[in-house]
Amino acid sequence: MTVSPQLRTQAYINGKWVDAQSGKTFVVTNPATGERIADVPDLSEEEVLGAVKAAEDAFPVWSATSPKHRQDTLMKFFNLMLERTEELSRLITLENGKPLADATGEHKYSASFMEWFASEAVRTYGDVIPSTIPGLRNLVIKQPIGVVGIITPWNFPSAMITRKIGPALAAGCTCVIKAPSDTPLSAMALMEIAEQAGIPAGVLNLVTSRNSRMVAKVLCEHPVIKKVSFTGSTGVGKQLMQQSSSTLKKLSMELGGNAPFIVFDDADVDEAVKGALIAKFRSSGQTCVCANRLFIQDKVYDEFTTKLTAAVEKFVVGNGLDAGVTHGPLIHDRAVAKVVEHVEDAVSKGAKVTVGGKAGKGNFYEPTVLVDVPISALVSKDETFGPLAPCYRFSTEEEVMKLANDTEFGLAGYFYSRDIGRVWRVAEAMETGMVCANSGVLSQATIPFGGIKESGFGKEGSKYGMDDYQITKLVLMGGLGTRY
Ligand code: SIN
């Protein structure tokens, strides 16, 4: 696949498209074919520091623009994204591998964050609080937190960036974004759109480097950066928290999951199968909210697993740009190796493969269903991040809630039941930041996305999504005189 002439392949600092001064680059490949798509700059620490300086210098001007101006700019950004839907969706498929229909879904999801936060820009209300001390007035105002460091993953090359720059820009913050090394091209396209939307130089800066640790260290330790927003693994999140402690930075952490997906006896089994196809196999299982453990109650176990197997057999695995392909490759060989490990471990402990179970050529792994999985299997504790649906059997609600919550993670959880009492009980008992009752779909710009436990903290999207990019300041007023 040749690179289109207008494809951006450079970093974007202070309104300029730049290569590394050293001339060093690293390669971006298509995970479906292994072909080289582009060479992108391998920036040095000095160059990353230059991006921080640009964001620092741009902050006074951008933060002083009116909320209405920021709203209009974000709406321009949104409209420009939609005008380029076809091209930018193909770019997502090219660098990430997800099928074009999924990539188009991601592109629109990505744009929707700009639209949502355009509206939030003008709603950053403060408060007036009655004073307990006579003669005083207590006002609360919201202000942009300052320069924000943003680190995003490869599984949503576009949407994880807009989910963070949307609220940052709306609040009046400036940003240094670390593009994912596997998928930096969608991030570059977003910077081009930012330029066209009239976002001034220095407000958004995009850095690329093979040395992710170096960039993360700069963003976490630099005193100018007031907040870091990270989406990625729990292990890396913990390291970033440690690094950020030297400057007590405000953090948002959207980390790993181990989502339970529970099907109770009273569920609509066909709906539960449909939900599992999305919750488990979306992006070939490579999302933080993907179901990782499927618990099915005795009475419906055989029906559910048979129907799930039949549905998975219909998947068409291949290059996401080819017509009819429903599931693409995994991002790289390490991701495939993890699925292999989880399947082999479960099978060695007694699980049976009903569909899939084999690695293909390159980065492909067949979408797989395992039945009779014992709770001792590795996959019960460890997020696969791949197309593997391990099905466990359970008898009672109490038993399954213990199993579902027996994990240090708490991002998303799913369950199917038509008993309204059970719906409330389970929703309240499930230890996750997001609970889906009778749905396998959850992602929207309007919801507070985020986890609890070791899945992190902070909410992205929704009316709560602005909070992390603002400070809440008290302005107390005295000396106001007496009433007439
Ligand atoms: C993620 O995998 O981190 C995000 C998933 C989503 O927004 O749907």
Side-chain angles (χ1 to χ4, degrees), residues 389-463:
C391 297
Y392 305 80
R393 192 186 283 271
F394 73 92
S395 301
T396 67
E397 185 181 313
E398 197 185 349
E399 174 198 358
V400 79
M401 291 321 295
K402 280 203 184 107
L403 291 169
N405 290 335
D406 184 20
T407 168
E408 67 270 33
F409 299 104
L411 189 57
Y414 307 82
F415 70 96
Y416 279 74
S417 167
R418 282 176 295 185
D419 173 335
I420 187 71
R422 172 172 275 162
V423 168
W424 272 109
R425 282 195 303 278
V426 173
E428 288 176 0
M430 199 174 262
E431 295 174 1
T432 58
M434 296 173 283
V435 179
C436 298
N438 298 313
S439 173
V441 179
L442 85 106
S443 306
Q444 311 146 63
T446 50
I447 59 159
F449 192 105
I452 58 172
K453 295 162 82 176
E454 292 192 21
S455 289
F457 46 83
K459 293 293 177 191
E460 301 201 285
S462 80
K463 65 176 181 179

Side-chain angles (χ1 to χ4, degrees), residues 189-222:
L190 289 175
M191 295 305 105
E192 188 175 62
I193 288 173
E195 215 173 25
Q196 289 161 357
I199 294 179
V203 172
L204 288 180
N205 303 276
L206 179 77
V207 297
T208 51
S209 172
R210 197 200 294 269
N211 190 348
S212 301
R213 278 169 198 266
M214 174 275 287
V215 181
K217 194 167 182 312
V218 170
L219 297 186
C220 291
E221 293 184 354
H222 203 298

Side-chain angles (χ1 to χ4, degrees), residues 109 113 153 155-156 160 163 231 254 282 286-289 385 411 442-443 449:
Y109 179 42
F113 286 108
N155 65 338
F156 287 84
M160 294 305 100
R163 187 149 85 181
T231 296
E254 203 265 90
R282 172 177 172 229
Q286 300 176 107
T287 86
C288 303
V289 289
F385 228 67
L411 189 57
L442 85 106
S443 306
F449 192 105

Side-chain angles (χ1 to χ4, degrees), residues 186-433:
S186 299
M188 291 166 180
L190 289 175
M191 295 305 105
E192 188 175 62
I193 288 173
E195 215 173 25
Q196 289 161 357
I199 294 179
V203 172
L204 288 180
N205 303 276
L206 179 77
V207 297
T208 51
S209 172
R210 197 200 294 269
N211 190 348
S212 301
R213 278 169 198 266
M214 174 275 287
V215 181
K217 194 167 182 312
V218 170
L219 297 186
C220 291
E221 293 184 354
H222 203 298
V224 156
I225 295 193
K226 297 294 183 264
K227 178 204 164 61
V228 167
S229 178
F230 171 67
T231 296
S233 73
T234 293
V236 174
K238 286 180 181 177
Q239 284 167 20
L240 301 185
M241 258 188 99
Q242 271 175 0
Q243 287 175 334
S244 302
S245 67
S246 59
T247 51
L248 282 183
K249 268 188 214 343
K250 189 163 175 170
L251 296 171
S252 304
M253 292 275 155
E254 203 265 90
L255 308 176
N258 183 4
F261 184 101
I262 306 172
V263 185
F264 288 101
D265 279 349
D266 57 62
D268 178 330
V269 173
D270 292 324
E271 282 301 310
V273 170
K274 275 193 219 155
L277 294 179
I278 299 167
K280 173 62 255 184
F281 291 103
R282 172 177 172 229
S283 294
S284 296
Q286 300 176 107
T287 86
C288 303
V289 289
C290 272
N292 200 53
R293 298 165 294 154
L294 283 69
F295 297 106
I296 303 108
Q297 202 160 8
D298 288 324
K299 215 169 81 190
V300 290
Y301 189 88
D302 292 341
E303 183 189 353
F304 176 85
T305 53
T306 305
K307 287 181 170 171
L308 181 66
T309 301
V312 171
E313 274 164 355
K314 294 197 187 113
F315 286 173
V316 181
V317 179
N319 185 331
L321 290 175
D322 291 346
V325 165
T326 58
H327 291 79
L330 300 193
I331 190 72
H332 42 48
D333 55 356
R334 298 184 305 286
V336 176
K338 189 157 194 199
V339 189
V340 170
E341 185 191 11
H342 280 189
V343 172
E344 285 180 359
D345 169 78
V347 169
S348 76
K349 291 173 178 154
K352 290 178 205 65
V353 177
T354 61
V355 56
K358 287 196 294 295
K361 267 174 105 182
N363 296 331
F364 287 93
Y365 194 96
E366 293 175 350
T368 298
V369 176
L370 293 181
V371 295
D372 300 336
V373 179
I375 207 69
S376 59
L378 186 57
V379 63
S380 313
K381 293 273 171 219
D382 193 14
E383 185 183 26
T384 309
F385 228 67
L388 167 62
C391 297
Y392 305 80
R393 192 186 283 271
F394 73 92
S395 301
T396 67
E397 185 181 313
E398 197 185 349
E399 174 198 358
V400 79
M401 291 321 295
K402 280 203 184 107
L403 291 169
N405 290 335
D406 184 20
T407 168
E408 67 270 33
F409 299 104
L411 189 57
Y414 307 82
F415 70 96
Y416 279 74
S417 167
R418 282 176 295 185
D419 173 335
I420 187 71
R422 172 172 275 162
V423 168
W424 272 109
R425 282 195 303 278
V426 173
E428 288 176 0
M430 199 174 262
E431 295 174 1
T432 58

